């Protein structure tokens, strides 16, 4: 692997190697000591410290162990132990680079020969190789991601509910000469691998890819949060604790002697308020101090589980210590406890050892003895012991303000918002308000942007000479991208409301209220959170299903999330609802969102009764206290979504608009098109008369020009494809233009609007007051001569609603399909494609046909 270090203000890249992989005769400098507990301390006692130079002398006859010269002594290490030491090999290129800014340039020729000069090089590497990997570990909703954002300057998603972080995120930044890699792990209540996020955290911590752990703890809920801390203590990894949300803790009138508590646990504890950035510099300094092994900063403790359990741990531990390789990877005590708890990940690895069967037999015998003697499951006994340790430590250091009522006032809003009779109506009113504001408030900037796009198209058409380039820019790029970009303000307003739901804690309440209803349809109450997130974007919503512990719940939720109306569908809704439902915009839009939810839960019911018949997990979810949304988090949320939207404008939608334009533009000058062109020329050359007045002539030319455009469009490549699929979409009330737009929408739903913008050439259309250029084009469309409805408007309120139903239910975008593939596999991707398209066609057809009869 490589690392980026800072030398004299310059960033340079060096290859980091494991000491076991350095060839015989090579010199290298130690940059990091891994391992844990006794092994790590023994290595340091023998001189293996960061910045020290050593030489590889030779391998033993059987290639293991390896002999090294360090300081003035010879030391041998097994390969498994040498794998824990990271070094930079002293190649000529590394030497030249590291010494080029040094005052000892004249010594370079004998640099690797002189011990004193080796020490100078060691000091130089000691300065430049300070890279610290820190794993952020904590309960859900404890503020890990807020800390991550403030420390790194990145903009990861945060919210006031558990499960916001569903993947591993890494941020790299520089602090006081150190390169710090901050790894934000999913929130977890423990590391017993009962859920995907627990397994994710456990596997990462077990791989020993971090130098230390930053344990983020919610100070308002110490006892529950510290349970995870006791498990991390068993892992025997250097640690720092950030006592987060300390401002709320102090406001409650509670007192905590965290300095004494720090001494009791054996690592630094720093109060923080991550949402405001308070205490973060002090935490980073504590991280550096622990990394540098400063005296009296840390000491390791053992959680006392009681005599019976401790005897069992000792028996299992003794058998495990027969295998030096595995105890170089994990502390033997941690392995013994995990074996007693029968943790699958650990027992599988222990079972592969030469004495693995003996280890597991001893663990099983002791487990059965403890459970029989105490009449409790072993994991319950160990959990009780951990909570006992936590309670004992807090009893000596924590003084709670029993007279404080403020902490309960944080839940006072639940008297209304989760009321048995008023909770669901309030939720529906909030959603209606969200959609209505999306229209009414967003209408003004949307109109300004659309006017700008129309003006820009007219200016470009006048500036450029007539021809292919002019048509490409005006009709293809401006007409396609411009038709979509004007909806950015509406999307920002939608995300503003979603961000408020997340940050206040109302999102978790919505899941609480919907659990009983969802459970009847085979869904978990927590599925409601990914559903609401799906109103923004289906991809993070699908990733958020990882917080559901049961695989059946996860898959059913993943497969039904595409029916949520994501923000990509919003431009289609806005253009059609604004045109055909001007007086009931919020209600019509809300009906679409609810229709998607209804289809999703009905699909979930079918899946639960057929493919997925296992029982859903119990509903266990933390309800966080209500909090006032921070302006910073709300703005970050809105900025990220606008940046994603604009990026899509400049990539996927731009490319699709150009492709659609080219397919619509070519081929040129077909026979039928030339025939109409000749008629235009004849009309233009016909002299005016009393009957054939100037107005009649202009009208005739205009009519023929429109006919020429229609003939060209139908004879183009996209027109031919559209006419091929028109019989399929005609029962839904759609013509070939709409059929083509729906097909292109598989790439990204916004492309539906951009395709219509290109096909109807709305780039430089003059607009009437309150009416966008594309809206004007939609109102102009008529069924062509020869069709059953010749001369009638193609677009009507009924057809527009059927159109929106098809967009709502049809195949999700490529990014969503990729997310489904990651979470469920290729088989469910194909199922999603086929099922959603057929369902969309069926529902749209029924809406149009039954609506027409009514």
């Amino acid at each position: 692997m490589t690392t980026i270090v800072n030398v004299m203000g310059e960033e340079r890249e060096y290859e980091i190697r494991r000491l076991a992989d350095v060839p015989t005769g090579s010199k290298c400098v130690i940059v990091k000591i891994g391992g844990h507990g006794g092994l790590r301390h023994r290595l340091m006692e023998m001189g293996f410290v960061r910045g020290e130079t050593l030489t590889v002398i030779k391998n033993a006859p059987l290639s293991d162990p390896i002999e090294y010269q360090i300081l003035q002594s010879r030391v041998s290490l097994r390969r498994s132990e040498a794998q824990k030491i990271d070094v930079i090999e002293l190649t000529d290129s590394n030497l030249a680079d590291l010494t080029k800014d040094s005052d000892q340039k004249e010594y370079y020729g004998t640099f690797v020969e002189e011990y004193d000069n080796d020490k100078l090089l060691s000091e130089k590497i000691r300065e430049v190789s300070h890279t610290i990997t820190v794993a952020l570990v904590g309960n859900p909703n404890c503020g890990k991601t807020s800390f991550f954002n403030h420390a790194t300057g990145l903009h990861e998603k945060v919210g006031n509910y558990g499960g916001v972080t569903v993947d591993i995120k890494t941020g790299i930044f520089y602090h006081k000469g150190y390169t710090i890699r901050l790894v934000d792990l999913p929130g977890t209540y423990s590391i017993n691998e009962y859920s995907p996020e627990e397994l994710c955290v456990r596997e990462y911590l077990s791989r020993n890819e971090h130098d230390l752990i930053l344990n983020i703890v919610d100070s308002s809920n110490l006892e529950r949060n510290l349970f995870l801390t006791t498990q991390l203590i068993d892992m025997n990894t250097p640690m720092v604790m950030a006592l987060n949300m300390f401002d709320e803790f102090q406001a409650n009138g509670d007192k905590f002697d965290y300095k004494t508590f720090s001494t009791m646990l054996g690592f630094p504890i720093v109060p923080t308020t991550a949402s405001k950035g308070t205490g973060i510099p002090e935490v980073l300094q504590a991280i550096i101090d622990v990394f540098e092994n400063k005296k009296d900063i840390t000491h390791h403790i053992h959680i006392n589980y009681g005599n019976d359990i401790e005897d069992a741990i000792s028996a299992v531990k003794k058998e495990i210590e027969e295998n030096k390789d595995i105890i170089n990877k994990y502390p033997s005590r941690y392995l013994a406890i995990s074996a007693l708890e029968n943790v699958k990940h650990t027992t599988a690895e222990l079972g592969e050892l030469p004495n693995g069967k003996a280890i597991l037999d001893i663990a099983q015998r002791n487990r059965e003895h403890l459970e029989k003697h105490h009449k409790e499951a072993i994991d319950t006994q160990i959990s009780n012991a951990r909570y006992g340790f936590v309670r004992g430590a807090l009893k000596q250091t924590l003084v709670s303000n029993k007279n404080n009522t403020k902490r309960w006032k944080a839940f006072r809003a639940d008297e209304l918002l989760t009321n048995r009779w008023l909770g669901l109506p309030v939720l529906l009113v909030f959603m209606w308000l969200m959609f209505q504001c999306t229209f009414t408030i967003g209408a003004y900037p949307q109109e300004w942007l659309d006017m700008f796009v129309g003006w820009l198209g007219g200016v470009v058409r006048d500036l450029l000479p007539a021809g292919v380039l002019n048509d490409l820019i005006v009709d293809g790029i401006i007409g396609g991208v411009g038709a979509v970009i004007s909806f950015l303000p509406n999307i920002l307003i939608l995300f503003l409301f979603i961000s408020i739901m997340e940050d206040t804690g109302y999102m978790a309440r919505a899941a609480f209220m919907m659990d009983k209803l969802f459970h009847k349809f085979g869904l978990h109450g927590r599925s409601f959170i990914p559903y609401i997130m799906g109103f923004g974007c289906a991809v993070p919503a699908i990733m958020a299903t990882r917080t559901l512990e049961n695989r059946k719940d996860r898959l059913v939720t993943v497969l039904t999330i595409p029916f949520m109306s994501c923000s990509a569908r919003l431009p289609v809704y806005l253009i059609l609802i604004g045109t055909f439902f001007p007086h009931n915009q919020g209600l019509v839009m809300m009906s679409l969102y609810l229709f998607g939810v209804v289809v999703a839960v009905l699909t979930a019911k079918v899946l639960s009764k057929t493919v997925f018949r296992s029982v859903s997990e119990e509903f266990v979810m933390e309800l966080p206290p209500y909090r006032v949304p921070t302006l910073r988090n709300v703005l970050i949320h809105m900025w990220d979504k606008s940046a994603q939207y604009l990026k899509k404008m400049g990539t996927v939608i731009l490319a699709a608009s150009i492709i659609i334009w080219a397919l619509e533009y070519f081929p040129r000058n077909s026979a039928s098109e030339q025939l109409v062109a000749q008629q235009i020329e004849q009309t233009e050359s016909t002299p005016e008369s009393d009957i054939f007045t100037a107005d009649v002539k202009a009208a005739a030319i205009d009519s023929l020009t429109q006919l020429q455009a229609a003939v060209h469009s139908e004879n183009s490549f996209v027109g031919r494809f559209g006419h091929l699929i028109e019989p399929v979409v005609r029962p839904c009330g759609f013509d070939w233009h709409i059929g083509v737009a729906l097909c292109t929408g598989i790439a990204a739903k916004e492309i539906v609007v951009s395709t219509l913008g290109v096909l109807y050439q709305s780039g430089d259309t003059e607009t009437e007051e309150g009416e966008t250029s594309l809206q004007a084009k939609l109102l102009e469309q008529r069924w062509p001569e020869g069709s059953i409805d010749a001369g009638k408007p193609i677009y009507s309120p009924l057809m527009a609603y059927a159109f929106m139903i098809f967009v709502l239910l049809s195949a999700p975008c490529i990014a969503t399909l990729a997310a489904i593939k990651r979470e469920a596999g290729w088989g469910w991707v194909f199922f999603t494609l086929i099922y959603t398209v057929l369902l969309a066609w069926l529902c749209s057809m029924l809406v149009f046909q039954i609506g027409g009869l009514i």
Side-chain angles (χ1 to χ4, degrees), residues 669-690:
N669 301 321
S670 64
S672 54
E673 190 177 348
Q674 288 179 356
L675 181 61
V676 178
Q678 291 173 4
Q679 293 176 353
I680 293 175
E681 290 179 5
Q682 291 174 0
T683 304
E684 288 176 341
S685 62
T686 302
E688 298 175 8
S689 64
D690 293 338

Side-chain angles (χ1 to χ4, degrees), residues 254-509:
D254 299 334
K255 295 181 181 179
F256 183 42
D257 185 359
Y258 62 86
K259 293 183 179 178
T260 300
F261 195 70
S262 170
T263 303
M264 295 170 65
L265 295 188
F267 49 77
I269 298 177
V270 182
T272 64
T273 303
S275 61
K276 301 176 182 177
T278 306
I280 291 178
E282 291 78 6
V283 171
L284 297 179
Q285 184 58 52
I287 288 171
I288 293 171
D289 292 342
V290 171
F291 182 72
E292 292 288 359
N293 295 296
K294 289 196 174 180
K295 190 177 181 181
D296 299 328
I297 292 291
T298 64
H299 61 273
H300 181 63
I301 66 167
H302 287 314
I303 307 297
N304 191 321
Y305 292 101
N307 292 336
D308 291 346
I309 296 178
E310 287 293 335
D311 290 343
I313 291 173
S314 297
V316 179
K317 177 182 171 184
K318 182 178 179 181
E319 191 69 28
I320 290 174
E321 287 177 345
E322 296 294 323
N323 304 273
K324 298 301 180 183
D325 290 344
I326 197 166
I327 64 173
N328 285 337
K329 292 173 62 179
Y330 313 105
S332 56
R333 180 179 173 85
Y334 162 72
L335 290 173
I337 295 170
S338 297
L340 283 173
E341 291 183 294
N342 202 24
V343 176
K344 292 180 182 178
H345 181 90
T346 302
T347 54
E349 194 160 1
L350 290 175
E352 295 177 357
L353 299 175
N355 62 337
K357 187 177 185 303
I359 295 172
L360 298 181
D361 287 345
I362 293 172
Q364 183 176 354
R365 286 199 303 271
N366 280 276
R367 185 186 316 116
E368 291 173 350
H369 170 73
L370 289 168
E371 290 179 345
K372 182 178 179 180
H373 181 70
H374 292 279
K375 295 181 173 57
E376 276 187 325
I378 186 64
D379 55 349
T380 302
Q381 297 178 48
I382 292 177
S383 295
N384 289 339
R386 284 173 173 150
Y387 273 120
F389 171 83
V390 170
R391 293 187 188 109
L394 290 178
K395 187 175 181 179
Q396 302 179 49
T397 54
L398 176 65
V399 179
S400 298
N401 180 12
K402 300 186 183 302
N403 298 322
N404 176 51
T405 60
K406 186 173 181 179
R407 61 164 55 90
W408 306 117
K409 288 181 180 178
F411 295 89
R412 184 68 58 83
D414 282 337
E415 294 177 8
L416 171 65
L417 298 180
T418 60
N419 182 274
R420 181 178 181 182
W421 306 109
L422 298 177
L424 289 177
V426 168
L427 177 61
L428 291 175
V429 169
F430 179 85
M431 292 180 66
W432 171 83
L433 180 64
M434 175 172 68
F435 301 136
Q436 192 64 40
C437 289
T438 301
F439 275 103
T440 54
I441 298 176
Y444 300 102
Q446 178 194 353
E447 183 180 346
W448 300 334
L449 279 173
D450 196 75
M451 289 172 60
F452 171 75
V453 170
W455 170 83
L456 180 62
V459 170
V460 173
R461 187 174 292 283
D462 293 338
L463 286 177
L464 293 177
V468 176
L469 181 62
N470 187 312
D471 294 337
L472 168 62
I473 295 176
V474 176
D475 298 330
I477 297 176
I478 297 178
V481 176
V484 182
I485 199 170
S486 60
F487 299 108
L488 177 60
N490 309 81
I491 290 174
L492 289 178
I493 293 171
L494 177 67
F495 278 107
L496 169 65
F497 276 87
I498 293 176
S499 180
I500 290 172
M501 285 186 71
E502 293 176 347
D503 287 2
T504 57
Y506 188 52
M507 185 82 84
R509 269 71 183 185

